[in-house]
Amino acid sequence: MDTAKDKLDTAPRAILLKNYTAPAYFIDSVDLHFELDPENTRVSNRMHVTRNASIENTSSELELDGCELELVSIHLNGKQLNDKQYRLSDDNKLLILQAPDEFELTIETLIHPASNTALEGLYVSSGMFCTQCEAEGFRRITYFQDRPDVMARYTTTLVADKTTYPILLSNGNLIEQGVFDDGRHWAKWQDPFPKPSYLFALVAGNLICKQDNFTTASGRSVDLHLYVEPVNQDKCDHALASLKQAMHWDEVTYGREYDLDIFMIVAVNDFNMGAMENKGLNIFNSACVLASPETATDADFYTIQSIIGHEYFHNWSGNRVTCRDWFQLSLKEGFTVFRDQEFSADLNSRPVKRIADVNVLRTHQFAQDAGPMAHPVRPESYIEISNFYTVTIYNKGAEVVRMLHTLLGKEGFRKGTDLYFQRHDGQAVTTDDFVSAMETANEIDFSQFKRWYSQAGTPVIDVTEQYDDQKNIYTLTLQQHCPATSGQAEKQAFHIPLSIALLDNKGNPNPLQLDNETSPTDTQRVIELKNENQEFIFTNINQQPVLSINRSFSAPVKVKQARTHETLAFLLARDTNAFNRWDAGQELCIAVLLELIVATQQGKSLALTETVSNAFASLLEDNKLDPALLVQMLTLPSESYLADQCEIVDIDAIHTAREFMRKTLATQLKDQLLAHYHRCCNTDDYHFDADSMANRSLKNLCLAYLMETGDTFAQKLCLDQLHQANNMTDSLTALSTLAQHDIPERNVELEKFYTHWQQDPLVVDKWFSIQASSRLPKTLKHVKSLLIHPAFAMTNPNNVRAVIGRFCHGNSVRFHASDGSGYRFLADQVIALDSLNPQISARLVSAMSRWRRFDEKRQTLMQSELERILKTETLSKDVYEIVSK
Ligand code: TRP
Ligand code: ZN
C-alpha cells in the first residue's frame, strides 16, 4: 500500500524560477536526418557543441534531455562512445562525460510515431507525419538540450516513401531534393535563423498546396503555401486572405517584415491546441484554419483570422526574440495575444472585440486567480510546463502589455517595441528585458508596474465619490487591495491605469481638470492609481456627475461601486464609451439576477423589474446602435460568471433565475425581437464582413430568445431557418437552439444534420458540441452514447473537447448534477485519457478545480472523485499537478 511518504518520494518535483542557471554548453548547429516510417523512424542528429565560456563552469558533463527514445549510437568527433563515456540517468537524461570544449556529437535514435497518442514530438495524424515540440517535445525526437535559451541553426533532411508522402517539409528554405531508386525520395531544408528546439517542425504526407504571394514593404516577394488534405482544398481562401492581412498589419503597426522567402501553414486533424508558430512552418489544428461558408460559422471565420494573425505575429514576438526559460512564457504569449487582439480590433468592430476579450478574462482568468491554480503572469514554479499555457499567461499577460500601451500611448509604446526588437533580436530574454526596453525608450520607471508580473490575484478597487455643489468640486477616492493567493498572502500596491469620464445628466462628458492643473485636458483621461488609497480632485464640475470608470477595461481589476439600477440603466443608455455601456448593462443584469437567485432559493415567485425590461426595450428601439453591440448588450451573463458572483454557488438556482429572465424578456419583447429577426433576414450569398456578421448574430440572438417563449410560431421560424439556411452560422444556431428544447423535431433534425455532414469531421464536432451543451435532463446519458459513436475517437483532441470538454466546462447545470453523476463521468474520462494524452486529460480535470466554492454535498462528491484520480497508477505529471492542488 502507498504510504504518505512513498507518495512524497514519487511525487513529481517542481521546477523553480530561482534555480535558473545558464546552460553549461551551447549547441549552435544541428544537422538532422530522418528516415520516416510510422512504426520505426530513425533519427540521426549531428550537433556542433561548444562550452559556454561566459559562465563559471567547472563541469565537463554535457546533459541532454530525452523522453521515450531508443538510443542506437553516440559518436563524438567521429568516434563511437562506449558505455563508460556516457550515462543514461533515471530521469531520462543523457550525460556525455568528460566532454571537450568544442566538439561534434552525433546521436542516433529510434522513435515510434504511429503509437504516439500524446501528440508531442513526432506523430502520425490521418496518415501524415507532423511534429509538436513546444514546450518540451523535441526531447521525444532526439537527445538535446531542450530549453529555449539554447539556440541553433537547423538543417533537416527527410527521407520517406514517395507515393505515401509526396510532400516533405521542414523549417526554412528547401535547398536540395532527390529520389532514390527504392521508391523513396528526400528533401533537405535549411533554416538560416538560430532558433530554440521548441520551434523545430517537420511534416510529411499526401497534401495539396494552395499558393499565394505577398510582397513586403521593402519589395521582397514571399511565397505563401497552405498545405491541406485534398478533401479540404475548398476551405483555404479565408486563411490565406487572413495571412496577408496579418503580414500587412505587422508592417504598418510594428514596422516588422517577414524574413524568409517562404511561409508555410499545414492543417492537421489531431492537435492538442489551436496552432503552433514553428519558424516558417506553422502547424494548425484543422479547426483553426479551414473554413467555407457552408461548413464554418462566423465565429469560426473570426477565430481563424485571429489565430492566423497570432501565429504569424510570433515570428517576431517569440521566434526572432524568444524566451530565456518557460517562466517567461508570457513574454511571447501575452505580447502576441495583445498583438492579435489589436489586429482583430483594427479589422473588425473594436468594442465588440474588447467585450469578447474581457468576457474571457472575467469568466476564466478571474476564476483562475480565485482558485487553487492561481499563479502570476511570470510564475515562480511548475511541475509540468504544459499546464501553464493558461488564461493567466495568455490573456492576463496581454492585459499587462495593454496597460503599458495605455500608459505610454501609441507612439511611446512603439518606441518601446522598436528598442526591444533592436536590442534582443536573436536572443532568449525575460519579461524584465521587455519592460526595460519600454522604460529606456520612454525614460520612465516601471518598477512598481512590474508587480503585475510577479503578484497573482485580481486587484479590487473600491470607489467612493463626493461632490461639493458649492465649490463645484468632485472628489474620487480609490482604494485598492488584492486577495491572497496560494503562496502570496500579502500583496503590494499595483500601478493601475484607469480611464475615466464624468458624465452630466444628459450623458455628455465633462472636461476633466485636476485641482493642480490650470486648464482641462480632455473629456476622457487615464488616472494612475499607485497607492493603496488615493484621492483625485476634479474642479469646475457644475453638477453631480455620473462616473464612468475603467473605460474599455483599461485595467484587469474588479471595480466595486454602489450603484442603483437607475444609474446602471442610465449608463447603459448614455455612456459615450461603448464598452462601458455594455458593462453597465451586464452589471444591471447581474444585480437583477442575484435578486432572482435569492428569490428562487426562498421559494418565492419570480418577477422581473421594469428597469431591465424597459432598458432592453429601448435598446431594441435604438436604430443608431451597431447591431453587433446590441447583441452583446442583450446577452445575459453566463451561468459560470454568475456562479463567480455568489458566495456559495447554487447551480440550480442560478440556472432557474437566468432561464426565467430570458423567458420573461422574450415574452415581453416578442414583437420587437420578431421585427428585428425579419429585418435581419436576407437571402444574399454569405460574406464574411462586419455588417453581415452583425446582422446574422442579431437575427440568431432574436431567434434564440423567441424560442424561449415556447410558441409554435417560433419553432416554425427555427425549423424554416434550419432548412433554408445557405451558411453554417444560420443552420447551426437553428440546430443548437432546437437542441435546447424537448420537442419532437429535435432528434429528427439532429439525425438529419449528422447524415448530411458525416463526412466532415469539423462539422461533426459542432454536432457533438451542440448535444453536449444541451440543458435537457437526459444530456449526460446522451453524451455517454456519443463516446461510442463511430465518429468519436478518444485520441482526437477535437472530439474530446467537443463532447467531454463541452459537457464538463460548458454545461454547468448538467455537469454539476447533485447526484455527482457528472463528476463521476469526468473522473472516468480523465483516467481513461491520462495514458493516451496527458495534456488533454489535465485540461479536462480542471473543470473540478473550483470545488471549494460549491455546497458541502457537491464538495464531498468532487473531492472523492479527485482522490480516485490520484490513486490511479502511473498518473501523468500533468494530471497530478492539477489534482494535487
Ligand atoms: N505556442 C502556441 C501558441 O500560442 C501554443 C502551444 C503551446 C501549443 N504548446 C502547444 C500548440 C502544444 C499545440 C500543442 O499559439
Ligand atoms: Zn502563442
Side-chain angles (χ1 to χ4, degrees):
M1 221 182 72
D2 265 359
T3 66
K5 189 176 165 297
D6 281 345
K7 208 70 220 181
L8 268 184
D9 285 349
T10 56
R13 242 193 251 115
I15 318 277
L16 305 180
L17 168 60
K18 67 169 202 278
N19 291 346
Y20 173 83
T21 50
Y25 288 86
F26 287 118
I27 300 173
D28 45 46
S29 76
V30 183
D31 198 340
L32 289 162
H33 188 99
F34 289 85
E35 284 179 37
L36 292 167
D37 173 84
E39 312 309 326
N40 288 297
T41 286
R42 189 171 289 270
V43 184
S44 155
N45 165 17
R46 196 176 84 214
M47 296 165 271
H48 182 253
V49 187
T50 52
R51 184 189 284 274
N52 180 356
S54 69
I55 57 163
E56 206 172 308
N57 183 3
T58 47
S59 156
S60 57
E61 275 180 14
L62 168 67
E63 186 185 289
L64 302 173
D65 306 290
C67 185
E68 292 173 27
L69 299 171
E70 252 180 69
L71 180 59
V72 178
S73 68
I74 310 173
H75 287 81
L76 197 152
N77 289 335
K79 285 214 189 81
Q80 179 150 9
L81 295 191
N82 64 43
D83 56 10
K84 297 208 173 50
Q85 295 170 299
Y86 69 87
R87 196 160 67 80
L88 275 169
S89 77
D90 300 338
D91 55 347
N92 292 317
K93 304 239 189 267
L94 173 62
L95 303 167
I96 306 295
L97 310 170
Q98 290 173 349
D101 287 355
E102 182 179 353
F103 56 102
E104 296 269 317
L105 187 68
T106 305
I107 300 182
E108 238 185 81
T109 44
L110 270 182
I111 51 177
H112 316 290
S115 54
N116 178 352
T117 55
L119 314 185
E120 296 175 81
L122 179 68
Y123 62 95
V124 178
S125 169
S126 305
M128 65 196 263
F129 287 98
C130 62
T131 53
Q132 173 55 44
C133 293
E134 188 177 4
E136 298 180 331
F138 194 70
R139 64 186 63 186
R140 292 165 180 269
I141 294 176
T142 183
Y143 285 103
F144 200 72
Q145 293 191 92
D146 194 11
R147 45 186 289 172
D149 55 356
V150 172
M151 295 171 83
R153 287 196 174 82
Y154 286 68
T155 307
T156 306
T157 307
L158 307 175
V159 184
D161 181 75
K162 191 170 192 304
T163 1
T164 324
Y165 309 105
I167 300 287
L168 303 174
L169 311 172
S170 189
N171 316 85
N173 304 307
L174 178 64
I175 53 170
E176 255 185 285
Q177 57 186 326
V179 282
F180 295 121
D181 42 21
D182 61 358
R184 296 186 305 163
H185 69 149
W186 60 276
K188 187 170 183 176
W189 291 81
Q190 190 168 55
D191 182 356
F193 293 95
K195 64 167 174 287
S197 53
Y198 80 86
L199 291 173
F200 170 80
L202 75 78
V203 167
N206 181 10
L207 303 165
I208 61 131
C209 174
K210 283 279 169 183
Q211 299 206 18
D212 209 327
N213 187 274
F214 180 83
T215 305
T216 69
S218 69
R220 275 190 318 104
S221 163
V222 181
D223 286 330
L224 311 178
H225 290 183
L226 174 51
Y227 292 93
V228 301
E229 292 176 79
V231 287
N232 292 322
Q233 58 177 318
D234 297 327
K235 295 182 175 178
C236 297
D237 293 353
H238 180 63
L240 282 167
S242 303
L243 176 59
K244 288 187 283 183
Q245 289 172 316
M247 295 177 88
H248 179 68
W249 187 88
D250 214 17
E251 292 181 347
V252 174
T253 318
Y254 286 85
R256 298 289 127 195
E257 273 192 25
Y258 186 63
D259 50 10
L260 286 162
D261 300 331
I262 180 168
F263 186 80
M264 298 174 280
I265 293 178
V266 183
V268 167
N269 294 329
D270 303 274
F271 206 66
N272 279 347
M273 305 234 232
M276 180 62 212
E277 71 264 24
N278 317 302
K279 181 76 188 190
L281 178 57
N282 287 0
I283 298 183
F284 272 63
N285 184 328
S286 52
C288 300
V289 58
L290 303 176
S292 70
E294 297 74 35
T295 61
T297 63
D298 288 344
D300 296 329
F301 275 82
Y302 201 99
T303 313
I304 289 168
Q305 187 183 51
S306 108
I307 300 186
I308 292 270
H310 180 99
E311 306 310 333
Y312 175 74
F313 300 143
H314 267 314
N315 192 52
W316 277 97
S317 47
N319 301 5
R320 290 287 288 255
V321 182
T322 195
C323 304
R324 187 192 72 174
D325 53 72
W326 293 119
F327 298 102
Q328 319 298 326
L329 181 57
S330 197
L331 173 78
K332 73 177 178 81
E333 295 305 346
F335 185 24
T336 304
V337 170
F338 172 70
R339 279 151 60 67
D340 84 54
Q341 289 177 346
E342 287 297 291
F343 169 60
S344 297
D346 282 346
L347 265 57
N348 306 288
S349 155
R350 178 166 284 271
V352 170
K353 174 64 179 158
R354 192 66 188 131
I355 289 167
D357 292 336
V358 172
N359 261 329
V360 169
L361 196 82
R362 279 184 176 157
T363 354
H364 300 107
Q365 202 280 323
F366 283 13
Q368 184 161 68
D369 261 347
M373 275 295 289
H375 56 275
V377 169
R378 187 194 53 214
E380 237 117 68
S381 87
Y382 60 79
I383 290 178
E384 170 52 62
I385 186 59
S386 304
N387 285 330
F388 283 79
Y389 287 75
T390 62
V391 278
T392 299
I393 302 296
Y394 276 68
N395 303 65
K396 185 175 179 182
E399 294 300 323
V400 173
V401 175
R402 180 177 296 279
M403 286 190 284
L404 288 170
H405 186 275
T406 303
L407 288 165
L408 297 171
K410 197 172 152 194
E411 280 79 34
F413 184 80
R414 171 66 192 271
K415 275 197 235 158
T417 59
D418 282 352
L419 183 60
Y420 170 71
F421 291 126
Q422 182 202 320
R423 273 186 180 172
H424 301 298
D425 191 8
Q427 299 177 0
V429 302
T430 64
T431 55
D432 279 342
D433 293 320
F434 182 78
V435 178
S436 156
M438 293 288 160
E439 291 179 306
T440 309
N442 291 280
E443 295 175 31
I444 214 169
D445 176 8
F446 277 138
S447 1
Q448 185 185 1
F449 184 85
K450 284 205 265 187
R451 290 176 190 158
W452 284 108
Y453 287 95
S454 57
Q455 299 188 139
T458 310
V460 179
I461 296 175
D462 288 303
V463 177
T464 323
E465 300 174 88
Q466 214 178 31
Y467 179 64
D468 183 334
D469 61 359
Q470 301 299 303
K471 298 194 183 124
N472 289 352
I473 285 177
Y474 169 84
T475 306
L476 178 63
T477 310
L478 301 177
Q479 201 174 358
Q480 60 162 307
H481 72 274
C482 181
T485 49
S486 74
Q488 292 185 337
E490 298 293 330
K491 319 263 174 168
Q492 292 177 294
F494 288 89
H495 177 180
I496 305 174
L498 289 165
S499 166
I500 64 158
L502 297 173
L503 309 176
D504 71 15
N505 59 15
K506 298 208 174 57
N508 299 316
N510 281 285
L512 296 176
Q513 182 176 1
L514 283 168
D515 61 346
N516 57 356
E517 294 168 345
T518 48
S519 59
T521 51
D522 228 328
T523 54
Q524 165 173 298
R525 58 190 290 175
V526 176
I527 55 175
E528 297 182 30
L529 174 60
K530 292 183 168 180
N531 303 339
E532 244 149 58
N533 220 310
Q534 211 168 320
E535 251 182 17
F536 300 88
I537 300 168
F538 296 91
T539 53
N540 293 321
I541 306 289
N542 299 325
Q543 50 170 258
Q544 169 84 51
V546 177
L547 172 66
S548 169
I549 191 169
N550 205 15
R551 297 189 120 199
S552 303
F553 205 70
S554 59
V557 299
K558 294 180 183 169
V559 178
K560 291 269 183 298
Q561 193 184 359
R563 295 191 284 191
T564 62
H565 290 188
E566 286 65 36
T567 305
L568 292 169
F570 168 82
L571 287 166
L572 171 60
R574 295 293 177 82
D575 199 327
T576 47
N577 182 279
F579 174 88
N580 278 35
R581 279 185 77 176
W582 168 80
D583 201 23
Q586 293 292 295
E587 196 172 323
L588 176 59
C589 291
I590 290 170
V592 168
L593 280 161
L594 290 177
E595 290 171 11
L596 289 170
I597 289 166
V598 172
T600 307
Q601 288 166 330
Q602 296 171 344
K604 292 187 181 148
S605 68
L606 304 182
L608 190 63
T609 78
E610 272 184 13
T611 327
V612 180
S613 328
N614 292 342
F616 274 40
S618 341
L619 290 174
L620 284 165
E621 268 155 29
D622 180 353
N623 51 24
K624 289 195 297 292
L625 192 57
D626 168 10
L629 259 180
L630 175 60
V631 170
Q632 298 300 325
M633 290 173 176
L634 297 180
T635 303
L636 303 187
S638 70
E639 289 181 15
S640 60
Y641 188 58
L642 284 166
D644 286 340
Q645 315 307 312
C646 302
E647 269 322 298
I648 291 180
V649 179
D650 182 339
I651 285 290
D652 303 306
I654 292 172
H655 184 67
T656 309
R658 190 173 180 277
E659 299 277 279
F660 167 80
M661 184 162 168
R662 276 171 58 80
K663 187 168 180 155
T664 312
L665 287 168
T667 314
Q668 289 172 350
L669 304 172
K670 186 157 91 182
D671 296 342
Q672 289 177 17
L673 290 165
L674 192 59
H676 274 288
Y677 180 85
H678 287 307
R679 197 180 47 74
C680 294
C681 278
N682 69 43
T683 51
D684 299 352
D685 282 349
Y686 178 91
H687 284 288
F688 175 71
D689 59 65
D691 285 348
S692 7
M693 266 203 309
N695 256 320
R696 280 187 292 270
S697 71
L698 180 53
K699 174 177 76 176
N700 287 319
L701 175 103
C702 292
L703 179 68
Y705 264 114
L706 288 167
M707 281 289 278
E708 293 302 307
T709 61
D711 292 351
T712 43
F713 90 89
Q715 289 165 12
K716 178 162 184 319
L717 220 55
C718 185
L719 288 165
D720 286 350
Q721 176 169 323
L722 181 57
H723 298 144
Q724 287 154 23
N726 68 354
N727 63 79
M728 185 52 76
T729 308
D730 287 347
S731 52
L732 201 73
T733 347
L735 189 68
S736 61
T737 307
L738 204 56
Q740 297 293 347
H741 296 268
D742 192 8
I743 52 178
E745 291 86 348
R746 178 188 191 270
N747 295 344
V748 182
E749 293 300 335
L750 279 168
E751 269 321 298
K752 277 199 335 214
F753 189 89
Y754 177 74
T755 312
H756 186 180
W757 291 110
Q758 55 183 315
Q759 302 308 334
D760 191 317
L762 296 179
V763 181
V764 172
D765 282 332
K766 298 178 198 305
W767 179 78
F768 281 144
S769 299
I770 284 181
Q771 299 171 76
S773 317
S774 174
R775 63 188 170 187
L776 299 183
K778 279 201 184 134
T779 297
L780 177 56
K781 192 168 161 239
H782 197 70
V783 162
K784 286 180 180 164
S785 75
L786 293 178
L787 293 185
I788 51 173
H789 191 281
F792 181 89
M794 199 67 152
T795 47
N796 178 273
N798 289 357
N799 288 172
V800 172
R801 279 183 283 256
V803 180
I804 311 170
R806 235 351 146 84
F807 179 77
C808 300
H809 288 271
N811 194 347
S812 319
V813 57
R814 293 302 151 216
F815 173 61
H816 292 287
S818 59
D819 62 359
S821 52
Y823 308 146
R824 209 170 319 124
F825 170 74
L826 174 57
D828 287 343
Q829 304 316 315
V830 166
I831 292 167
L833 199 55
D834 188 57
S835 54
L836 291 173
N837 190 330
Q839 281 187 17
I840 300 296
S841 192
R843 298 246 158 202
L844 281 185
V845 79
S846 65
M848 284 195 282
S849 69
R850 305 214 62 212
W851 62 278
R852 274 184 201 284
R853 311 226 30 264
F854 291 83
D855 52 86
E856 230 170 278
K857 190 174 160 206
R858 286 186 174 88
Q859 280 199 20
T860 318
L861 289 165
M862 276 191 251
Q863 231 181 333
S864 74
E865 295 303 332
L866 288 168
E867 274 157 20
R868 182 156 72 90
I869 296 172
L870 261 191
K871 284 201 196 103
T872 315
E873 264 178 60
T874 68
L875 191 67
S876 67
K877 277 204 278 184
D878 307 59
V879 171
Y880 172 81
E881 181 170 30
I882 310 274
V883 177
S884 60
K885 283 187 180 167

